[in-house]
Amino acid sequence: MAITQWNDGAVEVDVNGHVEATTEPYDMKLQRMVGHLPGVLHPNPKSVLGIGFGAGVSAGTFTRYPGIEKITVCEIEPIIPPTSTRYFAKQDYDVLHNPKTHIVFDDARHYLLTTTEKFDIIASDPLDVFVKGTAAIYSEEYFESVKQHLNPGGMFTLYVPLYESDERTVRSELATFFEAFPYGTVWANTIDGRGYDMVFMGQLEPLQIHVDDVLQRLNRPDYAPVVESLREINVSSAIDLFSTYAGQKSDLGEWTKGAEINRDIDLRLQYLGGWGINSSLEDYIYRQMMRYRKPAGNLFVGSPDAVRLMQSAVESAGR
């Protein structure tokens, strides 16, 4: 494990020679989106499972939510949580030492296959798919095991890179995700409007975002830490957060049609992921997806004015 400081002051954590997280604004936004998307949307989350500690930022996001009672983090390497905390405690809200936090040192797949515990939110922020072994936590069987550990109304988020990848790889990732989560949605993290990486979000039932309910929740005094955490990544409102919407199976399913499904029997994604290394196709892939994305008429519900405002923000962001 290595910690590096950039010339601009940003801090980076590397594991096995690969970047896991940085304090650069675009990375901080992605890491917190993994937590805030389900955190804001779930009406009353109480239990969370984080897959991988990394810099602790995704897990730390959940310390901001007043109703969350337990944050379990599954991490395979014991040296990572204390080392990251030395350098990222400000950004991850010192989640390691939060009394709600429980660290399990185990392989994520093994933990999910052996635990009987269920969660309201499962947030997975693993290494990039071209890293050896990572394809195993992007497989259909892994996603199915995640489903079995979601409480009713539970949500699952997954980090997916567009950088150092290619279209065939991302189509495979998304097609595999939709196999397990047919009601899944995709949310984009862009840099100056250009594609960079994404969050896939899945749940057991069709997603409906009650815009007025979310707005009211974020106006509550006990949600002030959530609002502040969002502002730290330049997300000024729920409208701003949800404007990152990039599609669902009903539209992106056309784009993923015929894509290779990543299954345990062959872990095809491990092979595909290697072809995109050192490429710069992130914005091209994002634009390809945006070509298929349709207005989210079935996604946002609430008062006409709130829904109209939300849909307008989504369309503007997509352009």
Side-chain angles (χ1 to χ4, degrees):
M1 183 177 184
I3 304 291
T4 307
Q5 186 172 40
W6 296 10
N7 291 335
D8 64 0
V11 179
E12 169 184 312
V13 53
D14 295 75
V15 176
N16 289 344
H18 179 76
V19 182
E20 273 216 355
T22 80
T23 57
E24 288 288 355
Y26 51 85
D27 281 337
M28 286 298 301
K29 184 177 180 181
L30 179 281
Q31 294 165 84
R32 288 197 183 164
M33 280 177 66
V34 169
H36 279 310
L37 279 167
V40 167
L41 285 173
H42 197 292
N44 188 27
K46 294 185 179 299
S47 59
V48 172
L49 171 63
I51 303 297
F53 190 89
V57 176
S58 295
T61 298
F62 296 111
T63 67
R64 307 294 91 184
Y65 288 84
I68 290 180
E69 299 171 353
K70 185 176 181 181
I71 302 169
T72 301
V73 183
C74 185
E75 170 55 56
I76 198 170
E77 173 51 63
I79 198 174
I80 290 177
T83 306
S84 288
T85 299
R86 288 176 57 192
Y87 298 93
F88 292 88
K90 178 181 178 181
Q91 289 79 14
D92 70 15
Y93 308 117
D94 199 13
V95 63
L96 177 62
H97 298 116
N98 190 293
K100 298 178 182 180
T101 302
H102 172 61
I103 307 291
V104 176
F105 292 109
D106 197 356
D107 171 75
R109 286 182 57 116
H110 179 264
Y111 177 70
L112 284 173
L113 289 171
T114 54
T115 185
T116 58
E117 194 168 355
K118 292 193 174 186
F119 305 89
D120 295 318
I121 295 171
I122 299 178
S124 185
D125 189 358
L127 287 169
D128 297 325
V129 293
F130 51 79
V131 177
K132 182 180 179 180
T134 307
I137 46 179
Y138 283 87
S139 75
E140 182 184 4
E141 289 83 357
Y142 171 71
F143 295 150
E144 289 292 341
S145 69
V146 167
K147 285 169 60 175
Q148 295 172 15
H149 291 280
L150 288 174
N151 286 322
M155 296 177 170
F156 170 56
T157 48
L158 174 72
Y159 155 70
V160 177
L162 299 183
Y163 61 88
E164 295 201 40
S165 193
D166 57 25
E167 188 174 356
R168 187 179 177 188
T169 300
V170 178
R171 287 176 64 242
S172 173
E173 292 163 349
L174 187 54
T176 303
F177 188 79
F178 283 154
E179 284 288 303
F181 292 98
Y183 303 116
T185 50
V186 179
W187 307 80
N189 178 38
T190 59
I191 301 177
D192 297 327
R194 297 176 61 83
Y196 187 68
D197 49 23
M198 292 191 151
V199 178
F200 292 175
M201 184 167 68
Q203 61 288 317
L204 303 182
E205 303 294 334
L207 178 65
Q208 280 201 326
I209 299 176
H210 296 267
V211 181
D212 299 277
D213 292 348
V214 172
L215 294 175
Q216 290 172 12
R217 207 154 44 238
L218 290 179
N219 281 327
R220 284 166 31 185
D222 57 345
Y223 265 72
V226 175
V227 173
E228 178 60 26
S229 180
L230 287 167
R231 285 177 179 160
E232 289 173 359
I233 55 170
N234 295 318
V235 175
S236 60
S237 66
I239 302 293
D240 198 9
L241 177 64
F242 297 146
S243 69
T244 62
Y245 172 71
Q248 56 189 312
K249 187 175 183 179
S250 60
D251 43 28
L252 295 181
E254 288 297 310
W255 183 62
T256 62
K257 189 177 295 183
E260 296 152 288
I261 304 301
N262 183 44
R263 296 189 173 93
D264 284 353
I265 195 170
D266 61 8
L267 291 181
R268 181 68 172 168
L269 188 61
Q270 184 70 78
Y271 173 79
L272 295 178
W275 289 100
I277 295 177
N278 296 325
S279 66
S280 299
L281 298 171
E282 54 267 34
D283 190 57
Y284 169 79
I285 299 169
Y286 174 64
R287 298 298 163 190
Q288 291 298 103
M289 298 174 75
M290 290 298 98
R291 288 177 54 202
Y292 287 85
R293 190 198 68 175
K294 298 176 182 176
N298 63 327
L299 194 64
F300 301 105
V301 297
S303 62
D305 287 345
V307 171
R308 193 179 307 112
L309 182 62
M310 187 67 260
Q311 291 177 338
S312 175
V314 169
E315 289 305 308
S316 297
R319 288 194 295 270

